């Protein structure tokens, strides 16, 4: 077996994913201009599509600049650096001000229009074979280098149980996100596992109130709704591999509501922050989880 040239070890919440080829692999890229039937088949088989260069790189970088420029007043950026670079100041930032800015950003018309760029809604129109709907609750996150906390392993339906399970997530890197910067990692073949796990949760949740049944935090779930923070243990248990990628500005990953994913630590040493957004689309005619009908807020408990 060949040894993969990944930076090893990759960290996530203090756990180490080794570059053993049985436990780590590469995400498969897709051509966004391939025939839609091909992409649909690939999506069904893999649980994700990594659409290389579907967006205009310069437009993505311009939005990155706009985003980080808005946080300059809160001390997030290193003085005298270009906001496009997103270099962390290393100082203790003003958390109250950061929260205020983030609450504004998720309401920006520029953010809304970023999420509704023609290549995105045209892709979903083709994938769904009909008009798509974008959930109002949209998340945009930056990750500072060496931040000890990363997104734990989960599948998205956990948080969207009151709507259709054909909801799809777009994870969009806003800037280049090489493996070392801690982008999303996907557990190979886990769309099938997610379906099985959700069926088990559904059976266990049967006697609960409707509110508890759809909750990501009911007594059968962890306090975060995550399956685990221990990514290597999950891969061992399911005998699978974490798939990593060097994402570039202009890419978009689409993943199913059952696909298990997580993030790794941003381990770059030049201060660059990882910026990404994750937004959800579904067919407009399918049932929408009404809890997602409001803009994201820190205390929305989802
Ligand atoms: O960006 C992250 O760290 C998490 C994103 C995520 O969980 C998602 O796209 O569903």
């Amino acid at each position: 077996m060949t040894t993969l040239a990944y930076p090893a070890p990759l960290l996530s919440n203090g756990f180490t994913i080794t570059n053993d080829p049985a436990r780590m692999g590469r995400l498969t890229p897709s051509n966004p201009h391939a025939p839609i039937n091909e992409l649909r088949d690939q999506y069904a088989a893999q649980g994700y599509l990594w659409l290389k260069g579907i967006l205009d790189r310069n437009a993505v970088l311009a939005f990155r600049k706009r985003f980080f420029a808005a946080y300059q007043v809160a001390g997030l950026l290193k003085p005298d650096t270009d906001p496009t670079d997103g270099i962390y100041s290393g100082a203790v930032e003003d958390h109250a001000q950061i929260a205020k800015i983030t609450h504004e950003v998720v309401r920006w018309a520029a953010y809304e229009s970023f999420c509704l760029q023609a290549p995105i809604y045209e892709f979903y129109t083709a994938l769904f074979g009909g008009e798509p709907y974008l959930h109002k609750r949209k998340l945009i996150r930056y990750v500072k280098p060496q931040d000890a906390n990363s997104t734990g392993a989960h599948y998205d339906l956990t948080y969207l149980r009151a709507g259709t399970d054909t909801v799809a997530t777009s994870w969009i890197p806003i800037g280049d996100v090489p493996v070392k910067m801690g982008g999303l990692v996907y557990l190979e073949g886990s769309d099938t596992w997610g379906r099985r796990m959700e069926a088990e949760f559904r059976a266990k949740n049967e006697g609960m109130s409707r509110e508890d049944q759809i909750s990501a935090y009911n007594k059968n779930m962890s306090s975060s709704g995550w399956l685990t923070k221990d990514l290597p243990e999950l891969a061992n248990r399911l005998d699978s591999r974490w798939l990593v990628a060097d994402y570039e500005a202009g890419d978009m990953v689409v993943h199913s509501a059952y696909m298990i994913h997580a993030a790794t630590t941003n381990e770059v040493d030049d201060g660059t922050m990882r910026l990404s957004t994750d937004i959800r689309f579904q067919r407009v005619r399918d049932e929408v989880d009404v809890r997602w009908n409001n803009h994201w807020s820190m205390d929305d408990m989802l």
Side-chain angles (χ1 to χ4, degrees):
M1 265 188 228
T2 50
T3 304
L4 303 173
Y6 303 139
L10 272 188
L11 284 175
S12 181
N13 292 302
F15 295 97
T16 302
I17 310 172
T18 64
N19 67 355
D20 173 356
R23 294 288 170 257
M24 188 192 280
R26 288 266 177 194
L27 215 61
T28 303
S30 295
N31 175 358
H33 307 297
I36 194 63
N37 284 343
E38 240 173 65
L39 292 176
R40 274 201 201 113
D41 289 349
Q42 206 177 15
Y43 181 58
Q46 298 178 158
Y48 72 87
L49 287 173
W50 176 21
L51 299 169
K52 284 296 302 168
I54 186 173
L55 305 176
D56 179 85
R57 178 179 172 84
N58 290 331
V60 174
L61 293 177
F63 188 73
R64 179 178 171 89
K65 181 174 189 141
R66 189 180 192 120
F67 177 92
F68 280 125
Y71 287 83
Q72 238 160 356
V73 288
L76 184 66
L77 294 191
K78 188 170 172 185
D80 303 321
T81 57
D82 182 342
T84 315
D85 297 332
I87 306 293
Y88 177 45
S89 64
V92 178
E93 63 273 26
D94 180 336
H95 292 289
Q97 205 167 8
I98 296 260
K100 189 168 173 292
I101 296 165
T102 307
H103 278 92
E104 284 177 11
V105 169
V106 296
R107 288 167 174 77
W108 279 359
Y111 177 45
E112 180 96 359
S113 96
F114 179 85
C115 297
L116 283 172
Q117 294 171 62
I120 301 180
Y121 74 73
E122 282 168 4
F123 166 77
Y124 278 109
T125 307
L127 182 77
F128 295 146
E131 290 295 339
Y133 167 78
L134 169 63
H135 284 236
K136 187 166 179 181
R137 184 172 187 270
K138 302 186 279 302
L139 290 90
I140 184 160
R141 335 174 183 227
Y142 62 83
V143 181
K144 296 181 292 195
Q146 323 319 328
D147 188 333
N149 299 307
S150 315
T151 304
H154 68 282
Y155 55 89
D156 288 355
L157 195 70
T158 309
Y159 307 96
L160 285 147
R161 287 182 168 139
T164 174
D165 71 348
T166 56
V167 61
T169 296
S170 272
W171 185 82
I172 305 173
I174 306 174
D176 294 338
V177 181
V179 174
K180 207 177 169 185
M181 204 180 280
L184 274 211
V185 293
Y186 289 91
L187 193 63
E188 190 171 40
S190 64
D191 179 272
T192 308
W193 283 102
R195 282 170 204 275
R196 231 173 269 176
M197 287 174 187
E198 186 58 14
E200 282 167 21
F201 283 126
R202 222 178 2 256
K204 277 195 206 159
N205 296 348
E206 232 172 34
M208 293 179 179
S209 66
R210 172 74 179 148
E211 197 188 336
D212 280 344
Q213 279 177 346
I214 61 171
S215 169
Y217 314 105
N218 68 37
K219 67 177 168 57
N220 295 323
M221 309 298 298
S222 69
S223 61
S224 58
W226 293 341
L227 299 168
T228 180
K229 286 185 183 179
D230 188 344
L231 271 48
E233 187 280 329
L234 187 63
N236 284 341
R237 182 153 40 102
L238 301 184
D239 188 18
S240 185
R241 305 190 296 168
W242 286 103
L243 303 178
V244 305
D246 288 310
Y247 302 104
E248 293 176 292
D251 295 353
M252 174 171 88
V253 191
V254 177
H255 62 249
S256 83
Y258 293 106
M259 188 71 190
I260 298 173
H261 55 283
T264 55
T265 307
N266 181 350
E267 293 186 78
V268 301
D269 45 26
D270 65 358
T272 307
M273 287 180 278
R274 182 263 255 193
L275 179 63
S276 61
T277 186
D278 44 290
I279 55 178
R280 275 114 200 130
F281 289 86
Q282 63 171 83
R283 286 184 194 87
V284 72
R285 72 170 76 102
D286 290 343
E287 186 155 17
V288 174
D289 187 328
V290 294
R291 300 172 299 174
W292 287 66
N293 282 351
N294 297 305
H295 287 298
W296 170 89
S297 74
M298 207 102 81
D299 54 2
D300 66 12
M301 302 301 287
L302 265 171

